[in-house]
């Protein structure tokens, strides 16, 4: 049988087949952050003499609450810090940190063909580099640190082919939100999504990471894209500049369990109106007639409401989905010379991204516009530390989850691309970059 | 192992782990204390819990436990006395977390959910893989054979620890 990229990575990592379609899968890299790792660390210390399979196969960092906000989160950070020190594990502390899914590729810890596990559901981001990267629970992550394996059910493989080209106003975020809507919020459950096609090839590595990042929002185990010259060029620019990898490709006529084809030209900029990422409409469209009533009640919306008529209270640009340098450049393009009319937080994905943005003067554009430019962390994305929103508050956000209460109890989240968030911040309602007057002049010039 | 007792009927589809346990409570370094906040992220979630004291089986809708990987969701459910989740479909990470924590994941046809949600008592024979609403005939369900032992007796990390020599041998072979 002709093999997919996923099949090849899976089969080269099977340590032992288990009954019922599961296997022990070898893990090349474990990523540990301060929220979900302490439980595994403590269990290994308590029950297994603090022994790890190989500390060199772990990278740890502080990202979710950085810096600590209170005693409890300070203890979480300190647990990770002390462990990294005694185990001699690579560690990115505050000041040198970033959201795990941003900093791990940026530093060059990722190479094609790897299996990567992290106690974080958006780990699939790293699939953009031709890896099988997946989120796992704290105990499974502990197991991967103790024995370097995961117990996994082999997923089926879905080929998602995006043909043609995306229009110039369409971003990777719009593409993945459209994919989720097409296959359904749980349509990817039990699958690894292998993205391919000319529109995927044309995406930058940042865009590919955005597309892989949200595979979990369709329920998928992972998302992945075969490496190419862009992958190599990106890795050559990283801190570690890894060269010890060989390009793995799917066989030319590989067989897939399911194939979904989307014409890239049909994808439009989208914004969510509901309480899961699949509940989205074209930004020029309306809340659809078949919208789930419970979602609409929570969001305080009615069927037929034009997306662009929805007035907003706050904006956020950040998160592992859209906080990389190209996202910030796109936002700055819209915000240049403008003023935000609602509170707007802009949070770079890593210290590296922050410093690059400041070298380019993007922080001045943001701050001149009246936005809050912060240090790097997960920030408001998960409603855990800085920037929590109040009940009923409506925020347009470049993040990945519009779940009930995600960014704060009772808060209402509309997911969109960074440029749509920026335009909305200027207009005080959901808006396209082309709705912002000065931006339109720029485009015409 | 037999689990038998009152039902918590929250059969809504897509109950994500943020609804089971909001992120603001993920500030501990162990798995204790999560029950106090179970379902506080869901509109009326806490109310449902209060109205069904002593519930041991959560009858849930499809795609249960989607979203964040937080194992805290399993710990929160166990913390309020839930020992099994009956649902037509589980999100992958939550499903794995159920197994490693001995929270029994019971997959049944979607058409059966209303009947289970209306039951006073659900009885689950974990060993023999059957689930029963009140005095109805027991219905068969399937557990993953590779992970069934962890549901019955725990020991997930012990099992992996016992595999280390074989894993090291595998890795040495791969390198050569
Ligand atoms: S940015 Fe948000 S989604 Fe991404 S890892 Fe952080 S909390 Fe999770």
């Amino acid at each position: 049988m002709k093999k997919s990229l996923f099949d090849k990575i899976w089969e080269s990592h099977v340590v032992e087949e288990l009954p019922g379609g599961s296997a022990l899968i070898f893990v090349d890299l474990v990523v540990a952050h301060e929220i979900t790792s302490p439980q595994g660390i403590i269990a290994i210390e308590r029950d297994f003499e603090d022994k790890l399979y190989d500390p060199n196969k772990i990278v740890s960092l502080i990202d979710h609450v950085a810096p600590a906000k209170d005693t409890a989160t300070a203890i979480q950070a300190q647990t990770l810090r002390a462990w990294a020190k005694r185990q001699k594990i690579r560690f990115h502390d505050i000041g040198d940190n970033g959201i795990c899914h941003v900093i791990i590729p940026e530093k060059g810890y990722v190479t094609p063909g790897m299996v990567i596990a992290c106690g974080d559901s958006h780990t699939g981001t790293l699939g953009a580099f031709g890896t099988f990267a997946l989120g796992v629970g704290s105990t499974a992550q502990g197991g991967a640190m103790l024995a370097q394996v995961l117990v996994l059910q082999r997923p089926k493989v879905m080929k998602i082919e995006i043909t043609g080209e995306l229009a110039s106003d369409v971003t990777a975020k719009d593409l993945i939100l459209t994919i989720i809507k097409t296959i359904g919020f749980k349509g990817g459950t039990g699958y690894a999504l292998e993205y391919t096609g000319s529109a995927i090839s044309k995406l930058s590595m940042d865009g590919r990471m955005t597309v892989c990042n949200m595979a979990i929002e369709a329920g998928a185990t992972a998302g992945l894209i075969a490496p190419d010259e862009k992958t190599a060029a990106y890795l050559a620019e990283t801190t570690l500049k890894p060269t010890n990898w060989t390009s793995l490709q799917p066989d030319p006529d590989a067989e897939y369990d399911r194939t979904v084809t989307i014409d890239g030209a049909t994808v439009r900029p989208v914004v969510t109106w509901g309480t899961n990422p699949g509940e989205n409409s074209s930004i020029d469209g309306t809340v659809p007639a078949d919208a789930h009533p419970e979602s609409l009640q929570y969001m305080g919306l009615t069927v037929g409401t034009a997306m662009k008529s929805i007035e907003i209270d706050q904006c956020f640009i950040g998160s592992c989905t859209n906080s990389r340098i190209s996202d910030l450049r796109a936002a700055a393009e819209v915000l240049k010379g403008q003023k935000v009319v609602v509170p707007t937080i802009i949070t770079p994905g890593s210290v590296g991204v922050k410093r690059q943005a400041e070298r380019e003067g993007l922080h001045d554009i943001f701050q001149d516009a009246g936005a809050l430019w912060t240090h790097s962390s997960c920030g408001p994305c998960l409603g855990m530390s800085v920037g929590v929103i109040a009940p009923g508050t409506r925020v347009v956000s470049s993040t990945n989850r519009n779940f009930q209460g995600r960014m704060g109890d009772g808060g209402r989240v509309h997911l969109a691309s960074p440029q749509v968030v920026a335009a909305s911040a200027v207009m005080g309602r959901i808006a396209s970059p082309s709705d912002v007057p000065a931006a339109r002049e720029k485009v015409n010039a | 192992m037999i689990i038998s007792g009152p039902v918590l009927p929250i059969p809504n589809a897509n109950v994500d782990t943020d609804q089971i346990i909001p992120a603001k409570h993920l500030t501990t370094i162990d798995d204790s204390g999560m029950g106090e906040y179970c379902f506080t992220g869901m509109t009326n979630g806490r109310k449902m819990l209060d109205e069904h004291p002593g519930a041991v089986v959560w009858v849930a809708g499809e795609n249960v436990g989607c979203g964040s990987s937080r194992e805290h969701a399993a710990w929160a459910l166990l913390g309020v006395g839930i020992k099994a989740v009956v649902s037509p479909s589980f999100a992958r990470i939550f499903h794995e977390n159920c197994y490693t924590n001995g929270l029994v994941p019971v997959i049944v046809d979607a058409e059966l959910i209303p009947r289970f949600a209306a039951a006073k008592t659900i009885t689950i024979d974990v060993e023999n893989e059957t689930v029963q609403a009140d005095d109805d005939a027991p219905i068969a369900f399937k557990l993953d054979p590779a992970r069934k032992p962890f549901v019955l007796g725990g020991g997930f990390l012990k099992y992996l620890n016992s595999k280390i020599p074989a894993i090291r041998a595998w890795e040495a072979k791969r390198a050569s």
Side-chain angles (χ1 to χ4, degrees):
Chain A
M1 192 179 130
K2 298 290 173 58
K3 287 175 182 161
S4 66
L5 172 61
F6 179 82
D7 291 332
K8 291 183 181 182
I9 299 175
W10 176 275
E11 286 166 16
S12 64
H13 287 77
V14 174
V15 175
E16 186 185 332
E17 301 276 5
L18 301 173
S22 295
L24 287 185
I25 294 295
F26 192 80
V27 178
D28 300 296
L29 179 71
V30 179
V31 179
H33 69 60
E34 84 279 12
I35 303 295
T36 55
S37 307
Q39 296 83 359
I41 290 171
I42 289 169
I44 292 171
E45 189 181 358
R46 184 187 58 218
D47 300 333
F48 302 97
E49 297 164 353
D50 209 22
K51 269 204 214 107
L52 302 173
Y53 183 94
D54 182 357
N56 293 320
K57 289 188 171 67
I58 305 173
V59 177
S60 59
L61 47 91
I62 308 284
D63 61 359
H64 277 59
V65 185
K69 68 181 170 108
D70 56 13
T71 306
T73 53
I75 290 171
Q76 290 182 314
Q78 193 53 28
T79 303
L80 199 68
R81 197 175 275 135
W83 170 76
K85 192 167 180 199
R86 76 173 182 265
Q87 297 279 9
K88 300 192 173 55
I89 287 167
R90 292 165 292 191
F91 181 57
H92 296 282
D93 209 332
I94 50 165
D96 170 42
N97 68 317
I99 305 169
C100 49
H101 317 309
V102 176
I103 196 171
I104 293 293
E106 180 186 289
K107 296 283 181 190
Y109 291 122
V110 180
T111 51
M114 287 174 107
V115 172
I116 304 166
C118 172
D120 197 287
S121 59
H122 291 100
T123 307
T125 312
L126 307 174
F129 295 84
T131 68
F132 172 32
L134 75 167
V136 296
S138 295
T139 305
Q141 187 196 310
M145 300 194 299
L146 175 72
Q148 218 60 44
V149 289
L150 295 171
V151 178
L152 287 178
Q153 274 282 344
R154 182 172 184 157
K156 292 184 275 188
V157 189
M158 193 187 306
K159 176 180 176 179
I160 298 198
E161 186 173 10
I162 314 298
T163 58
E165 251 184 271
L166 300 178
S168 60
D169 62 344
V170 172
T171 67
K173 181 65 158 289
D174 302 308
L175 175 58
I176 184 59
L177 286 170
T178 302
I179 292 170
I180 295 165
K181 186 176 179 179
T182 304
I183 68 173
F185 177 52
K186 70 177 190 77
T189 306
Y191 285 92
L193 310 184
E194 208 165 298
Y195 303 107
T196 173
S198 53
I200 296 290
S201 304
K202 283 186 190 121
L203 288 176
S204 66
M205 289 311 295
D206 284 6
R208 292 179 192 182
M209 282 189 261
T210 300
V211 170
C212 289
N213 172 274
M214 290 186 70
I216 180 78
E217 305 309 334
T221 302
L224 64 168
I225 296 171
D228 60 9
E229 65 289 345
K230 281 185 189 167
T231 321
Y234 181 102
L235 292 174
E237 292 292 312
T238 61
T239 313
L240 293 174
K241 303 182 178 29
T243 52
N244 58 338
W245 56 279
T246 46
S247 176
L248 208 51
Q249 299 292 323
D251 289 333
D253 37 13
E255 290 173 32
Y256 292 87
D257 298 291
R258 192 181 160 196
T259 298
V260 172
T261 306
I262 296 173
D263 176 0
T266 63
V267 180
R268 296 303 305 142
V270 292
V271 180
T272 63
W273 47 259
T275 56
N276 76 56
E279 295 184 328
N280 65 66
S281 285
S282 159
I283 191 167
D284 295 310
T286 57
V287 176
D290 61 353
H292 200 286
E294 199 195 326
S295 303
L296 293 187
Q297 194 193 355
Y298 183 84
M299 292 299 290
L301 294 172
T302 50
V303 167
T305 303
M307 297 306 295
K308 283 189 172 174
S309 72
I310 299 171
E311 296 192 355
I312 60 167
D313 303 307
Q314 290 191 28
C315 284
F316 175 55
I317 295 172
S319 90
C320 55
T321 310
N322 283 124
S323 64
R324 297 180 180 81
I325 191 67
S326 52
D327 300 314
L328 299 182
R329 286 178 189 145
E333 180 80 12
V334 177
L335 289 172
K336 191 161 193 177
Q338 303 285 352
K339 288 281 178 214
V340 301
V341 298
V342 295
T344 299
I345 299 175
I346 304 178
T347 297
S350 70
V351 169
V353 169
K354 180 172 183 166
R355 298 188 68 183
Q356 180 60 33
E358 293 183 350
R359 276 194 287 275
E360 297 177 18
L362 306 185
H363 64 315
D364 285 331
I365 294 174
F366 299 147
Q367 292 177 111
D368 287 344
L372 173 65
W373 171 243
T374 76
H375 60 275
S376 172
S377 81
C378 291
C381 170
L382 79 167
M384 189 170 176
S385 59
V386 289
V388 174
I389 61 172
T393 296
R394 190 179 296 283
V395 56
V396 184
S397 177
S398 74
T399 53
N400 45 50
R401 287 192 173 131
N402 49 344
F403 296 168
Q404 291 186 23
R406 169 73 181 183
M407 295 178 70
D409 295 343
R412 294 163 168 163
V413 182
H414 294 273
L415 304 177
S417 68
Q419 35 275 71
V420 164
V421 179
S424 304
V426 173
M427 305 301 287
R429 60 166 173 88
I430 291 176
S432 302
S434 59
D435 297 332
V436 179
R440 187 184 294 136
E441 281 156 30
K442 248 188 312 185
V443 170
N444 292 342
Chain B
M1 182 201 254
I2 305 285
I3 293 167
S4 186
V7 176
L8 176 68
I10 308 182
N12 318 359
N14 305 323
V15 171
D16 57 76
T17 53
D18 275 83
Q19 290 184 57
I20 301 173
I21 179 94
K24 64 180 168 185
H25 302 302
L26 312 182
T27 57
T28 58
I29 55 169
D30 63 15
D31 55 7
S32 67
M34 289 296 132
E36 197 180 325
Y37 312 112
C38 189
F39 286 123
T40 54
M42 182 195 291
T43 316
N44 293 330
R46 204 68 200 178
K47 189 166 149 259
M48 285 301 285
L49 212 49
D50 292 341
E51 286 170 3
H52 296 86
V56 295
V57 180
W58 173 21
V59 176
E62 63 173 19
N63 200 24
V64 63
C66 56
S68 164
S69 63
R70 60 190 71 162
E71 197 162 322
H72 309 68
W75 301 328
L77 291 164
L78 290 164
V80 294
I82 299 292
K83 295 191 167 62
V85 181
V86 175
S87 165
S89 58
F90 286 71
R92 194 256 314 166
I93 306 174
F94 179 67
H95 197 216
E96 292 170 5
N97 289 340
C98 284
Y99 275 105
T100 45
N101 286 282
L103 181 63
V104 183
V106 180
I107 299 175
V108 300
D109 285 346
E111 305 87 76
L112 297 175
I113 290 297
R115 169 65 193 110
F116 280 109
K120 280 214 151 34
T121 300
I122 288 179
T123 304
I124 299 161
D125 182 336
V126 183
E127 216 117 31
N128 295 307
E129 302 179 9
T130 64
V131 55
Q132 183 179 11
D134 298 321
D135 297 325
D136 294 4
I139 291 164
F141 70 95
K142 274 201 94 45
L143 288 171
D144 173 7
R147 283 175 292 187
K148 186 173 176 181
F150 313 131
V151 162
L152 286 166
F156 177 74
L157 290 179
K158 265 203 198 93
Y159 163 76
L160 293 183
N161 191 50
S162 75
K163 292 284 181 186
I164 290 175
I167 296 162
R168 290 210 188 276
W170 181 91
E171 194 193 3
K173 211 169 108 204
R174 175 172 90 156
S176 64

